[in-house]
Amino acid sequence: MARTALTPTAFVPNGAVADPTGTASGVGANNGITVPYQGGKSIMLRIVAGGAGTATVLAGSQPSAISSGQGNATVTFGGAGTQWAGPFESARFGQPDGSLAVDTSVAMTITAFTLDGRYVG
């Protein structure tokens, strides 16, 4: 099974967005989700698990991900619940095509959000 591509929902400065449903992930290495390149925007994830498991945001590869040596970021669930993760920067997590890749150990529902990091209010 290939990764499922997620279209992120953009947070609106000084506004609001409807709560999107999320996308079910595949299970295991290379079967999770991918968030396409978002330019200069930060990516945040809402991860919902039905039970114990992990969601792993994969470190990118050099030269595009210069900080990839810091490794993956793992979100651990002791049981059912919701966790927010991020923001994730491309310098550590950007894949060769610029996307963000997430693998899960159990089926989870993941929603991606973007935040324009240049916005200062």
Side-chain angles (χ1 to χ4, degrees):
M1 177 181 197
R3 293 187 186 282
T4 302
L6 293 183
T7 301
T9 299
F11 282 123
V12 179
N14 301 314
V17 296
D19 192 13
T21 304
T23 301
S25 70
V27 177
N30 300 315
N31 292 324
I33 61 103
T34 185
V35 180
Y37 178 68
Q38 296 299 309
K41 298 185 178 187
S42 297
I43 297 173
M44 299 200 52
L45 302 174
R46 180 184 63 211
I47 307 167
V48 180
T54 59
T56 303
V57 180
L58 303 178
S61 58
Q62 291 192 22
S64 59
I66 194 80
S67 298
S68 61
Q70 295 177 40
N72 300 334
T74 301
V75 179
T76 302
F77 289 84
T82 300
Q83 292 192 43
W84 286 80
F88 297 103
E89 75 279 1
S90 60
R92 179 175 173 188
F93 300 102
Q95 300 302 309
D97 64 356
S99 67
L100 181 82
V102 182
D103 286 341
T104 60
S105 65
V106 297
M108 296 183 181
T109 301
I110 301 174
T111 309
F113 296 88
T114 60
L115 178 65
D116 188 341
R118 298 169 298 213
Y119 181 75
V120 294

